[in-house]
Amino acid sequence: MAKILLINPTVREEDVPRHVPYGIALLAAIAMEKGHLVQVYDENAWRQGDETTKAVCVADDWDIIGYGGITTTYASVKRIARIAREYAPQAVQVMGGGLLTSLPREMMSWIPQVDVGCVGEGFITFPEICDMVDRGGREFWDIKGTVSRKPGGGLIMSQMRPLMHDLDSLPFPAWELFPLEEVYFKNSQVLFSEEGMLASRRLDINTSYGCSLICRFCYHLGIAGDMRYEEDENGDLNVAFDQPGTYTRSIRYHSPEYVGALVKHAYDKFNINFIGFLDENLMTMDKFSGRTWMNDICNQWHDLGFAPKANDDGTWTGIHWAGTSHATLCTKEVLKTMREAGCSHLVYGYESFAPHVLKTIGKGATRESNLRSFFWTLEAGIRPVPNQIIGFPNEDFDSIRMNMHAWDDLGIQVKPHFATPYPGSEWFTTYRERISGQYDGDMERFILDLGDASSISAVISHNFNAVELLGLREAMLQLNYRRIDEYEQIWRKNHQIPDGAPSTLLSENMTGAFLRDADKVKSAIKDSERQDAVAETTGAASTH
Amino acid sequence: MSNDVLRGNFQTRDKVEIKQSEETLEDRFEMEAKKRLGGSIAFVSKKKVMWDTDKK
């Protein structure tokens, strides 16, 4: 059996660690189920510095050291790879996650210590790599879903790994290998609702994969059917994701019975009192299932006795929970059902309240559906978490003022994110040259600069530069319409745009391209009485 | 609770223990002050001070 060390890289150092890495916890469970010897070093949780990472690397004779994560773990992953090569030179280094998947060839080039990358979903690929290493093999190109190094130099991408269909065959995540008591439960609080604020033993679960929508700033990690393999300009195989006019999706979700059993396991073993659903978009699954999935999960909550009950002293028993919703896909009925089962808050990517911006972002939401879902959610007794973004390609002074008015009218307290073209998103593909130009052609610098989009990195707005966006956001937070009006006059003068004309530099061709695809999403959502409508329109396939 | 930072399904050859946090009063102060940075809340991060002023 292979001796495997999995390392969870450090991310968001400015904050405390809040989330057990679900993917690593699943891979650890899968590898153990296959009989391998597994240890986890949660560097992000412990934050013990390089000396401890070095000590971990020499603590045993590792056959495999695996690491990976989201794009913003890049700096940490690069450091771990260097340490691992120096202190555990015998170990095969395996990298995976959204970070590797979005740019497999670049990552293998920027991090030369990686022996094999796991492209896309690792549930089958990773254990196959472990088995091969255990047998003494190193022909990773024989395993689907890998990128590895040719013996004579260069990279080989093997065939694409199909997505796993029988999700319920997955074991439960190996939460016990992470410092729950020492770190994670202390950071259980989620400041999105009263119940979230009082959470003291929270775990997160992921119960579905995929999203039917085509938000152009979204990256679906290559596990939502969003990834294709194509030959690049050099004739080499490479990954491709959403592109204007080309969208593919696969909608997969666990059965409500699996979800119930998973939560029961978390409760029985760890005595949790709050669950965070990590799912990309719970409402996609609900619609896809013909409006049964969410209802059945809520029934599981009731049947297992987890639906919260209020105590006289203001506290409650049971397990509250929270997740993600969608303005157009949610219904008044499902929100009510969710609240009765203990849902405390739902994250809505409203992004903007400006109709002309919403039309271009591929979200399938309108100002009206944003407002409707906002009130439905409040009426159901759930707190909506109204995420906002500024700096979209066609952001202009009108959209900025529309957002401010909406925040003012709706009591929204928000500091918006900046539209950020994460690798793997459509806007990364569309704006790649523009992004590269902002980092002197050094794409690695861009990756290192990426955070959680609350700070600014590459700008994709056609109308505003980074400094303008930072200033505008500050004025928006203060609802300072006067300053914004004043700056608009300066901006118009600088760009020779007369009063009365739209305050935009975006070409009509580009706006038209965005609007064409937006109509596609809109018609899919309107036609959603049939549960497979979204799949047909976006080329998605459903699996359950 | 274990003192070992490694958690798994077997005993490793060497144990790697948690280093106890060495947070100083200075660290704590700077972290708390940073949370409220702005307006009249300003402070000097002593670890970042360039002491060799002649070079400037």
Side-chain angles (χ1 to χ4, degrees):
Chain A
M1 291 299 112
K3 206 174 259 188
I4 302 162
L5 169 64
L6 294 173
I7 302 180
N8 180 33
T10 305
V11 69
R12 296 197 76 205
E13 284 181 89
E14 71 281 7
D15 195 8
V16 293
R18 295 184 185 279
H19 305 282
V20 176
Y22 202 78
I24 294 178
L26 272 177
L27 291 180
I30 292 167
M32 289 194 293
E33 196 177 62
K34 301 275 182 195
H36 294 293
L37 299 172
V38 178
Q39 293 282 336
V40 170
Y41 173 48
D42 191 342
E43 189 193 70
N44 186 49
W46 291 114
R47 306 213 175 162
Q48 297 271 300
D50 284 358
E51 290 311 309
T52 301
T53 306
K54 290 172 189 172
V56 161
C57 288
V58 298
D60 217 314
D61 298 318
W62 307 110
D63 297 312
I64 292 171
I65 295 181
Y67 42 76
I70 57 174
T71 308
T72 49
T73 60
Y74 177 69
S76 174
V77 161
K78 187 162 176 148
R79 182 179 44 74
I80 289 167
R82 210 166 38 232
I83 291 172
R85 182 55 76 225
E86 188 178 346
Y87 289 86
Q90 79 291 345
V92 170
Q93 292 198 28
V94 186
M95 178 178 171
L99 173 65
L100 181 283
T101 299
S102 62
L103 296 166
R105 289 184 175 275
E106 288 86 345
M107 289 295 158
M108 293 294 281
S109 154
W110 295 336
I111 312 180
Q113 295 87 358
V114 179
D115 295 300
V116 53
C118 206
V119 184
E121 194 163 88
F123 297 147
I124 300 170
T125 308
F126 182 66
E128 287 189 5
I129 291 171
C130 297
D131 290 346
M132 177 175 277
V133 171
D134 191 37
R135 293 194 307 269
R138 296 294 184 270
E139 302 81 23
F140 300 117
W141 47 85
D142 288 339
I143 298 175
K144 285 179 185 171
T146 61
V147 55
S148 55
R149 301 185 190 282
K150 291 179 192 171
L155 298 173
I156 310 179
M157 281 192 71
S158 66
Q159 289 180 55
M160 186 168 153
R161 167 71 64 186
L163 295 172
M164 185 182 183
H165 293 303
D166 181 15
L167 289 178
D168 281 1
S169 67
L170 287 173
F172 296 150
W175 282 310
E176 67 277 13
L177 304 190
F178 295 82
L180 302 182
E181 300 293 345
E182 300 91 333
V183 179
Y184 287 110
F185 286 154
K186 289 177 183 168
N187 301 323
S188 287
Q189 186 181 63
V190 274
L191 288 174
F192 293 127
S193 60
E194 290 81 346
E195 298 91 335
M197 181 179 74
L198 295 175
S200 57
R201 297 181 74 81
R202 172 181 51 82
L203 281 176
D204 305 320
I205 60 175
N206 190 63
T207 61
S208 64
Y209 299 83
C211 177
S212 55
L213 302 165
I214 58 162
C215 303
R216 296 185 164 84
F217 47 87
C218 256
Y219 166 41
H220 307 272
L221 310 174
I223 57 175
D226 54 316
M227 184 173 69
R228 305 180 307 282
Y229 275 23
E230 292 178 354
E231 280 191 5
D232 64 18
E233 61 275 15
N234 305 316
D236 294 325
L237 208 56
N238 209 342
V239 294
F241 300 94
D242 285 358
Q243 291 167 13
T246 306
Y247 307 97
T248 52
R249 290 290 183 275
S250 179
I251 305 300
R252 300 173 295 155
Y253 44 90
H254 283 287
S255 68
E257 292 74 24
Y258 178 97
V259 177
L262 176 61
V263 176
K264 185 171 186 321
H265 167 74
Y267 180 78
D268 290 346
K269 195 159 181 182
F270 305 109
N271 194 26
I272 51 122
N273 59 15
F274 199 94
I275 283 284
F277 280 77
L278 299 168
D279 302 53
E280 228 185 311
N281 182 348
L282 290 172
M283 293 304 161
T284 282
M285 310 304 145
D286 195 51
K287 181 175 282 295
F288 234 100
S289 66
R291 298 292 181 196
T292 59
W293 188 68
M294 219 49 252
N295 194 60
D296 290 347
I297 288 176
C298 291
N299 284 339
Q300 287 283 323
W301 232 266
H302 289 289
D303 292 348
L304 291 164
F306 294 146
K309 293 182 184 65
N311 299 323
D312 292 339
D313 62 357
T315 61
W316 52 79
T317 55
I319 302 171
H320 279 104
W321 51 283
T324 48
S325 187
H326 183 274
T328 309
L329 298 176
C330 72
T331 66
K332 201 172 183 174
E333 294 72 29
V334 80
L335 293 169
K336 186 169 176 287
T337 303
M338 290 164 78
R339 178 58 189 166
E340 285 166 1
C343 180
S344 65
H345 59 264
L346 286 170
V347 176
Y348 285 89
Y350 288 143
E351 327 305 8
S352 177
F353 285 95
H356 62 291
V357 168
L358 284 167
K359 275 183 186 169
T360 63
I361 64 178
K363 184 121 211 157
T366 61
R367 178 184 167 84
E368 290 70 31
S369 67
N370 278 357
L371 294 172
R372 185 184 66 190
S373 64
F374 178 86
F375 288 111
W376 278 354
T377 309
L378 282 173
E379 281 165 21
I382 297 171
R383 273 194 182 268
V385 182
N387 279 349
Q388 296 279 276
I389 299 176
I390 63 163
F392 286 119
N394 67 336
E395 194 81 63
D396 58 15
F397 287 98
D398 285 345
S399 64
I400 282 169
R401 278 188 286 260
M402 284 180 200
N403 289 334
M404 291 163 67
H405 282 300
W407 302 351
D408 211 2
D409 292 346
L410 300 172
I412 291 176
Q413 308 289 310
V414 67
K415 185 175 183 180
H417 288 110
F418 293 111
T420 302
Y422 287 101
S425 68
E426 179 181 338
W427 273 337
F428 177 77
T429 306
T430 304
Y431 290 109
R432 189 162 179 154
E433 278 185 30
R434 191 185 177 113
I435 297 162
S436 178
Q438 293 174 52
Y439 291 86
D440 301 323
D442 184 352
M443 198 55 89
E444 189 182 11
R445 268 185 55 211
F446 166 60
I447 305 297
L448 286 164
D449 199 27
L450 282 168
D452 68 357
S454 55
S455 58
I456 208 155
S457 58
V459 172
I460 55 170
S461 167
H462 289 245
N463 298 327
F464 303 121
N465 62 32
V467 173
E468 286 173 323
L469 285 172
L470 285 163
L472 288 166
R473 182 171 75 170
E474 193 65 23
M476 290 174 85
L477 294 178
Q478 297 165 14
L479 296 178
N480 194 333
Y481 295 95
R482 186 177 62 82
R483 286 284 183 206
I484 286 174
D485 293 348
E486 280 174 8
Y487 185 65
E488 181 176 0
Q489 293 312 308
I490 297 167
W491 185 92
R492 284 181 179 276
K493 195 173 165 192
N494 288 345
H495 295 288
Q496 297 175 324
I497 303 223
D499 282 346
S503 59
T504 186
L505 306 170
L506 186 64
S507 72
E508 284 183 17
N509 280 348
M510 200 137 193
T511 310
F514 289 146
L515 292 177
R516 207 166 39 245
D517 289 331
D519 287 343
K520 193 187 275 188
V521 181
K522 201 172 161 189
S523 64
I525 288 174
K526 272 193 170 173
D527 198 18
S528 59
E529 290 305 309
R530 293 178 302 118
Q531 66 178 30
D532 57 349
V534 180
E536 283 178 10
T537 313
T538 60
S542 135
T543 307
H544 161 50
Chain B
M1 283 190 272
S2 159
N3 275 336
D4 204 336
V5 297
L6 281 168
R7 307 278 163 95
N9 62 351
F10 74 103
Q11 190 68 48
T12 53
R13 187 189 59 220
D14 302 332
K15 198 172 157 102
V16 184
E17 294 199 339
I18 303 159
K19 284 186 296 185
Q20 288 309 309
S21 167
E22 293 168 11
E23 188 186 57
T24 63
L25 189 59
E26 177 185 317
D27 293 334
R28 201 176 131 208
F29 159 71
E30 293 192 0
M31 195 175 70
E32 291 300 318
K34 203 170 181 179
K35 285 182 194 167
R36 298 186 55 202
L37 194 63
S40 59
I41 302 291
F43 68 94
V44 174
S45 178
K46 289 186 182 174
K47 291 187 183 71
K48 292 183 179 174
V49 172
M50 300 286 286
W51 291 105
D52 190 357
T53 50
D54 289 344
K55 283 186 182 171
K56 294 269 175 184

